[in-house]
């Protein structure tokens, strides 16, 4: 009788007023409880269905992303030489020759390369660079050789740095860093991605004869995008 539910039930449902007040109250009370828990259960069910659908869409998107995710181009140093390395005043007519492979490992994704820039540094000092090739399209599972030479204006070595080369050379190896930079776009069927700037950082060591050491040949260079 002291229940707070009594009043609204009596006024809202006059047709059942003939029942004993207490029983009537309990029945309405439990009916109310049942209805309430039913709504809760229905809304919980709807929530779960929505969550499940969202999860499912997310899962599909993730799987699509996994399968379409373009594999990074692989950059490897095929060849690298600086023949004058053993000469005392080699810097006067020094030349660096390099041959780098850019490989598209993907089976279904093509890559558009803008101009490719190759820079060479020694001990974090830039010693030369060159821009290679005109923009080109690389088919899936195809390789392109980026081969060129640096000398004269594209190779800026002076007497000072040459002395450091000679010191390293007498120790058995001179280590350079070859950096490849290019703007690329991926092509997936007829869809083209936006531009990504690719960077590859390749350490290259040459022996006393100025020819690339075996351990640096055909090594995959770390590649990152910016
Ligand atoms: C790479 O592409 C060129 C043409 O763009 C084609 O001639 C060559 O056969 C391709 N190489 C491979 C390994 O698919
Ligand atoms: C670069 O290396 C590849 C593979 O060894 C070779 O086929 C190609 O002729 C080389 N290019 C130059 C310019 O040396
Ligand atoms: C190496 C390789 O082919 N990687 C992926 C290229 O993209 C396709 C889908 O577009 C994947 O199935 C390959 O695993």
């Amino acid at each position: 009788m002291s229940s707070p539910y009594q009043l609204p039930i009596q006024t809202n449902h006059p047709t059942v007023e003939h029942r004993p007040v207490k029983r009537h109250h309990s029945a309405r009370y439990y009916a109310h409880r049942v209805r309430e828990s039913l709504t809760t259960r229905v809304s919980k069910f709807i929530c779960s269905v929505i969550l499940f659908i969202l999860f499912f869409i997310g899962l599909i998107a993730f799987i699509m992303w996994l399968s379409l995710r373009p594999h990074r181009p692989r950059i490897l140093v095929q060849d690298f030489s600086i023949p004058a390395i053993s000469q005392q005043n080699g810097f006067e007519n020094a030349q660096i020759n390099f041959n780098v492979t850019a490989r598209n490992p993907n089976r279904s994704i093509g890559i558009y390369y803008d101009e490719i820039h190759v820079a060479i540094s020694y001990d974090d000092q830039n010693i030369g660079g060159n821009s290679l090739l005109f923009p080109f399209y690389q088919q899936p599972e195809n390789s392109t050789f980026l081969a060129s030479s640096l000398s004269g204006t594209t190779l800026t070595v002076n007497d000072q740095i040459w002395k450091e080369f000679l010191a390293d050379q007498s120790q058995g190896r001179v280590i350079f860093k070859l950096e490849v930079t290019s703007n690329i776009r991926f092509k997936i069927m007829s869809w083209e991605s936006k531009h990504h700037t690719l960077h590859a950082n390749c350490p290259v060591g040459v022996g006393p004869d100025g020819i690339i050491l075996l351990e640096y040949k055909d090594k995959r260079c770390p590649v990152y995008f910016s």
Side-chain angles (χ1 to χ4, degrees), residues 151-211:
S151 63
T153 51
T154 55
L155 187 64
T156 52
V157 282
N158 54 27
D159 185 25
Q160 188 58 47
I161 213 160
W162 198 264
K163 286 202 171 93
E164 293 179 41
F165 289 178
L166 287 175
D168 287 357
Q169 188 254 5
S170 66
Q171 302 288 313
R173 59 179 57 198
V174 191
I175 311 288
F176 297 92
K177 197 172 78 186
L178 185 147
E179 263 184 284
V180 178
T181 313
S182 182
N183 277 326
I184 66 171
R185 275 172 301 150
F186 295 101
K187 182 170 181 267
I188 302 164
M189 289 181 278
S190 58
W191 177 79
E192 287 170 22
S193 78
K194 66 181 179 75
H195 277 97
H196 300 272
T197 305
L198 170 142
H199 303 264
N201 265 312
C202 315
V204 237
V206 299
D209 53 359
I211 292 173

Side-chain angles (χ1 to χ4, degrees), residues 27-46:
R28 294 306 310 165
Y29 177 74
Y30 289 117
H32 181 77
R33 286 283 302 267
V34 165
R35 208 183 308 127
E36 202 173 43
S37 69
L38 206 72
T39 3
T40 325
R41 276 161 63 184
V42 166
S43 54
K44 270 186 183 163
F45 175 74
I46 291 175

Side-chain angles (χ1 to χ4, degrees), residues 8-181:
I9 286 161
Q10 280 184 335
T11 49
N12 288 347
H13 306 280
T15 50
V16 288
E17 253 180 333
H18 63 275
R19 287 186 186 169
V21 172
K22 184 146 195 198
R23 264 200 70 208
H24 157 75
H25 158 71
S26 308
R28 294 306 310 165
Y29 177 74
Y30 289 117
H32 181 77
R33 286 283 302 267
V34 165
R35 208 183 308 127
E36 202 173 43
S37 69
L38 206 72
T39 3
T40 325
R41 276 161 63 184
V42 166
S43 54
K44 270 186 183 163
F45 175 74
I46 291 175
C47 276
S48 329
V49 167
I50 290 174
L51 277 179
F52 179 76
I53 290 174
L54 284 180
F55 170 77
F56 197 66
I57 290 174
L59 188 71
I60 287 179
F62 180 66
I63 290 172
M64 280 176 70
W65 176 79
L66 271 187
S67 61
L68 286 178
R69 183 179 52 133
H71 284 247
R72 294 159 185 229
R74 291 186 185 153
I75 311 287
L76 307 99
V77 179
Q78 205 82 41
D79 224 333
F80 186 97
S81 67
I82 171 163
I85 200 83
S86 58
Q87 297 165 22
Q88 275 308 312
N89 285 318
F91 70 95
E92 283 165 356
N93 48 17
Q95 180 169 327
I96 288 180
N97 309 303
F98 61 84
N99 187 351
V100 173
T101 311
R103 176 158 175 78
N104 175 7
N106 213 277
R107 223 168 300 138
S108 48
I109 294 169
I111 303 176
Y112 289 101
Y113 281 83
D114 284 357
E115 191 178 76
I116 292 176
H117 188 75
V118 175
I120 293 174
S121 58
Y122 168 81
D123 200 15
D124 285 338
Q125 300 169 72
N126 186 287
I127 58 163
N130 206 353
S131 286
L132 301 176
L133 297 176
F134 292 100
F136 67 97
Y137 172 68
Q138 191 173 51
Q139 291 177 348
E141 294 195 305
N142 210 328
S143 296
T144 306
F145 294 111
L146 316 169
S148 185
S149 295
L150 304 174
S151 63
T153 51
T154 55
L155 187 64
T156 52
V157 282
N158 54 27
D159 185 25
Q160 188 58 47
I161 213 160
W162 198 264
K163 286 202 171 93
E164 293 179 41
F165 289 178
L166 287 175
D168 287 357
Q169 188 254 5
S170 66
Q171 302 288 313
R173 59 179 57 198
V174 191
I175 311 288
F176 297 92
K177 197 172 78 186
L178 185 147
E179 263 184 284
V180 178
T181 313

